Amino acid sequence: MWASGFAHSPLIQATPEEYYALLLFGSGAWPFCSAYKWPHATARFYGWPPWVYLWRASPDFCSCFLFLPMSTATVTMPPAALHRLRDETLDLDSLAAYNLYLTAGPAGLRVGVADVRRNKFVALDEYTAPEAGVSVAQQALALAADHDLLGRTGWNRVRLAVQNRAFTLLPAPLFRAGDEAACLQLHHALDPQRESVHHYTHPGLDITSLFAVDTGLSSWFRNAYPAGRLVHQTSALLQGVAHQSEQGSPRRIYLSIGQQEVTLLAMNGKQPEFCNVFPFSTPEDLIYYTILVMQELQLNPDQDMVMVWGDLMHDSELFTILRKYIRNLRFGNRPFDLSYSYRLNDLFEYRYFELYALHLCE
């Protein structure tokens, strides 16, 4: 069904550099009308759905006549917070004293803030996974519109880790700028219309990570934080594990368990020997991939230690089955040489490892 609407809306004061979005929605013949203010660059880069009409307007008055299909009138709402923790020392009037860290993937968005001078995490947010049909980019945009941390600029440093399976690692001497897409296509069917390709060279490890990012997410991030850096989730994991590994220590397997995905990392001392992300839908799938990698690297599931981080509980079925087949299984700790606000004390130490480890990514 089609409906038409004519709206006269007094708008809040704004500068000429800002866009306005008029959202029309409803179920009757005349849709409800409301006005939202969005930053100019956000509107420019974001792929708005057909029911959003963008325009430059005077700060006092606007009018719009718009035909739209009522069935498309949906609004992406900000995700619900699972955790929203703040230390009293966090000073939002001095953002240059802090680093902002983000992770984005199937499990949703996570936000962390670290005090640069004290090397201390003073804030952590976790949000629900995107609903069906909603991308992480849409979720980030909806959240940033009214968030005390994500919508702010002026940070000392900003890092975003993307979690997906579209990545590869190669020796840094073999990497040449401009070859990212060609190299990544050997491992991932790249869609140039929906994905952009990025790289990150690991300091001290002589390794370069190549990875793809949803175009909507990368455009939002580049626009919001022009000096920010995108990395892959495996890079944060690798930097964190290398940081707390000892030179000359024996080969060891590390697991980072996410939403129906597991990252398996093998380290020999401080040098990575294997890194890959596997999908799994049952605990048996997870056991299969873990034992397969251990056998290929001549490790014994009955004797050799395996360290685990991620989204699981001590009493979960997944952990119970892991413990049955891997006898020397241990939960990992937070990255060493960092401190953490007492507000984070109620969180399991083996969770959010990649978010914390972004502090180690240059």
Side-chain angles (χ1 to χ4, degrees), residues 51 72 81 98 176 199 243 350 356:
W51 45 267
T72 66
Y98 302 95
R176 293 186 304 175
H199 75 275
H243 177 74
Y350 60 82
Y356 299 138

Side-chain angles (χ1 to χ4, degrees), residues 55-325:
W55 77 100
R56 287 184 183 273
S58 72
D60 299 315
F61 178 83
C62 73
S63 63
C64 169
F65 186 79
L66 179 67
F67 287 93
L68 73 162
M70 299 305 294
S71 60
T72 66
T74 58
V75 178
T76 300
M77 300 300 293
L82 300 175
H83 295 292
R84 194 173 187 276
L85 307 173
R86 302 284 187 277
D87 190 279
E88 293 86 351
T89 62
L90 176 61
D91 182 4
L92 295 181
D93 293 326
S94 303
L95 294 186
Y98 302 95
N99 293 340
L100 176 67
Y101 300 123
L102 314 168
T103 63
L109 291 167
R110 293 169 183 179
V111 182
V113 174
D115 185 307
V116 176
R117 182 179 60 84
R118 296 184 294 164
N119 275 337
K120 182 177 182 177
F121 272 83
V122 293
L124 186 147
D125 289 2
E126 180 182 11
Y127 295 92
T128 54
E131 297 179 356
V134 177
S135 68
V136 178
Q138 290 172 308
Q139 194 181 53
L141 185 66
L143 184 63
D146 187 24
H147 192 270
D148 62 330
L149 302 176
L150 194 57
R152 305 284 295 273
T153 59
W155 302 94
N156 175 68
R157 189 169 73 180
V158 182
R159 298 287 181 266
L160 167 61
V162 179
Q163 183 177 2
N164 58 36
R165 294 165 56 200
F167 84 103
T168 189
L169 300 173
L170 72 159
L174 299 182
F175 170 71
R176 293 186 304 175
D179 289 347
E180 292 92 336
C183 292
L184 186 59
Q185 282 179 336
L186 299 174
H187 307 271
H188 170 69
L190 187 65
D191 184 351
Q193 301 300 319
R194 297 177 178 270
E195 297 173 313
S196 56
V197 183
H198 307 265
H199 75 275
Y200 172 76
T201 299
H202 288 263
L205 296 179
D206 217 23
I207 291 174
T208 296
S209 169
L210 307 177
F211 57 100
V213 180
D214 176 82
T215 302
L217 183 62
S218 61
S219 295
W220 166 78
F221 183 73
R222 289 301 185 201
N223 173 56
Y225 307 105
R229 170 165 286 185
L230 284 163
V231 302
H232 195 263
Q233 166 257 343
T234 52
S235 289
L237 176 65
L238 208 164
Q239 285 296 129
V241 172
H243 177 74
Q244 58 192 48
S245 298
E246 296 182 1
Q247 194 71 42
S249 59
R251 179 183 291 152
R252 184 170 294 168
I253 293 288
Y254 301 88
L255 305 182
S256 178
I257 299 175
Q259 188 177 51
Q260 295 189 317
E261 288 185 348
V262 58
T263 303
L264 274 80
L265 172 65
M267 298 285 288
N268 195 340
K270 287 183 172 292
Q271 290 300 314
E273 292 188 331
F274 177 88
C275 183
N276 204 357
V277 180
F278 297 96
F280 71 90
S281 56
T282 66
E284 289 75 18
D285 292 340
L286 176 60
I287 293 296
Y288 170 78
Y289 288 123
T290 303
I291 293 181
L292 176 65
V293 172
M294 294 187 73
Q295 290 176 342
E296 289 294 323
L297 296 176
Q298 299 181 340
L299 295 173
N300 189 338
D302 290 327
Q303 298 178 359
D304 292 303
M305 189 183 78
V306 174
M307 192 166 290
V308 181
W309 289 281
D311 301 335
L312 75 165
M313 304 294 288
H314 293 80
D315 57 353
S316 67
E317 179 187 6
L318 194 59
F319 180 75
T320 301
I321 294 180
L322 271 173
R323 197 65 177 266
K324 179 180 178 180
Y325 291 94

